[in-house]
Amino acid sequence: MKSEVEAHFLDQARSCRGLGSPFTADLLTRLPGALPDGAAFAERLRAWKGDPLADRVALRAAGALHALARSGRAPALAEAYAAGETPSPALLAEAIRAGDAFLAPMLDLPPQTNEPARSGALIGGLLIAAAETGMEIELIEIGASAGLNLIPEFYAYEFGPAGRRAGDGPRIDCEWRGNAPDPAAPLRIVERAGVDLAPIDPAARPSPLIAYLWPDQHARIARAEAALAALAATPWRVEPGDAAAWLPGRLAAPQPEGRLRLLMHSIMWDYMPAATRAAIDAAIEAAGARATEARPLARLSMEPDGERGSAALDLTLWPGGARRRIGRCCFHGSWAAWA
């Protein structure tokens, strides 16, 4: 394997261990030395075309193997995953050779990391925006995957010492620290829309989304499955499309007075090409220039910013357009520290 790709696998393994998945950490540490010659999956990993970190190659590979284990096509691999035992190099090589036709195409797909627990942090940003404007919200999400974070008010939240928020959906535990917003404050989302290059139907079973969750994190998997079921019972579905092409029209649509139009994105910005990010930024800035006190615009983001171990929570409101850091949070939503 190319040394830069192997270094990326080892770095991602350290991150997985730090985020509570020793199974995935051991898998990614073991995988580079287990790739069999001749398998398309293995050869593509060895000679990856592009930046392995930007392309999240390790997470693509881990998701592909988890999907294979869940597919029923590799009983020995499925048995190891079910037992929580990291497959041996020999078992990995055997599974890759036998499942190559299934695995190799999955490397074309960026990871779908639609973690509903991120709503534990995102809802805090929504509460801040709602409190500052005093308005109902039109929620727009780009890179929305299945749309599990488009229904934040449906979940039940436990925020630790900060309190709780009632909801009919699955419970999300997110410890709030610092100058937290009022978790029980009013939040009214009256319209919502999302877009993704490859949206996942929440009613699909088995869900491809589960493959990108780490196999030894059983609570995350159970929560995601419950959230998918809750979303499947609603009329809201994520639209297929490129965010840069879809967003200008959505932001230009008529907006009633007294409604805040809020664009949200979480752990997806780095997956997009630079040109796409620039086009999205331009569309948001143009919409911000049109915003008024009666028809404001907001941008809420939860994205990596170079500080290891957590994501930045940023909020921008127009008119004005001043971006500010409202907090930091766990990538998987287990805690949020408010500024």
Side-chain angles (χ1 to χ4, degrees), residues 1 32-47 92-104 107:
M1 178 178 281
L35 295 174
D37 293 337
F41 177 79
E43 298 304 329
R44 287 191 62 188
L45 289 175
R46 286 194 180 100
L92 284 171
E94 178 186 350
I96 291 169
R97 277 192 293 266
D100 197 29
F102 177 92
L103 292 169
L107 293 177

Side-chain angles (χ1 to χ4, degrees), residues 159-250:
F159 296 120
R164 62 181 57 185
R165 184 179 180 91
D168 295 327
R171 191 177 104 172
I172 291 174
D173 292 286
C174 179
E175 182 186 355
W176 279 9
R177 312 165 184 166
N179 189 26
D182 178 1
L187 177 65
R188 185 168 179 240
I189 300 174
V190 294
E191 189 174 345
R192 66 197 86 209
V195 67
D196 195 277
L197 280 174
I200 290 176
D201 180 358
R205 294 294 183 272
S207 175
L209 181 68
I210 303 302
Y212 293 103
L213 299 179
W214 297 336
D216 52 344
Q217 296 194 330
H218 306 294
R220 286 184 69 204
I221 292 173
R223 182 174 55 232
E225 289 177 335
L228 286 165
L231 181 60
T234 74
W236 302 302
R237 295 294 181 271
V238 175
E239 300 176 38
D242 179 86
W246 178 88
L247 192 58
R250 183 73 201 191

Side-chain angles (χ1 to χ4, degrees), residues 71-271:
S71 71
R73 294 176 171 87
L77 187 69
E79 184 178 344
Y81 272 65
E85 299 173 354
T86 307
S88 68
L91 176 53
L92 284 171
E94 178 186 350
I96 291 169
R97 277 192 293 266
D100 197 29
F102 177 92
L103 292 169
M106 289 198 68
L107 293 177
D108 294 325
L109 305 174
Q112 293 270 24
T113 59
N114 197 197
E115 169 57 66
R118 290 178 184 143
S119 283
L122 292 169
I123 198 169
L126 293 171
L127 288 168
I128 291 171
E132 292 186 0
T133 61
M135 294 182 179
E136 62 187 28
I137 292 177
E138 172 191 333
L139 182 60
I140 301 170
E141 186 180 15
I142 56 175
S145 190
L148 298 183
N149 291 311
L150 272 173
I151 56 169
E153 77 275 37
F154 281 77
Y155 301 126
Y157 297 94
E158 293 288 341
F159 296 120
R164 62 181 57 185
R165 184 179 180 91
D168 295 327
R171 191 177 104 172
I172 291 174
D173 292 286
C174 179
E175 182 186 355
W176 279 9
R177 312 165 184 166
N179 189 26
D182 178 1
L187 177 65
R188 185 168 179 240
I189 300 174
V190 294
E191 189 174 345
R192 66 197 86 209
V195 67
D196 195 277
L197 280 174
I200 290 176
D201 180 358
R205 294 294 183 272
S207 175
L209 181 68
I210 303 302
Y212 293 103
L213 299 179
W214 297 336
D216 52 344
Q217 296 194 330
H218 306 294
R220 286 184 69 204
I221 292 173
R223 182 174 55 232
E225 289 177 335
L228 286 165
L231 181 60
T234 74
W236 302 302
R237 295 294 181 271
V238 175
E239 300 176 38
D242 179 86
W246 178 88
L247 192 58
R250 183 73 201 191
L251 294 178
Q255 177 180 354
E257 284 193 7
R259 177 178 297 178
L260 171 64
R261 176 168 286 164
L262 188 146
L263 173 76
M264 183 175 76
H265 55 89
S266 60
I267 318 300
M268 54 75 67
W269 195 246
D270 288 347
Y271 290 95

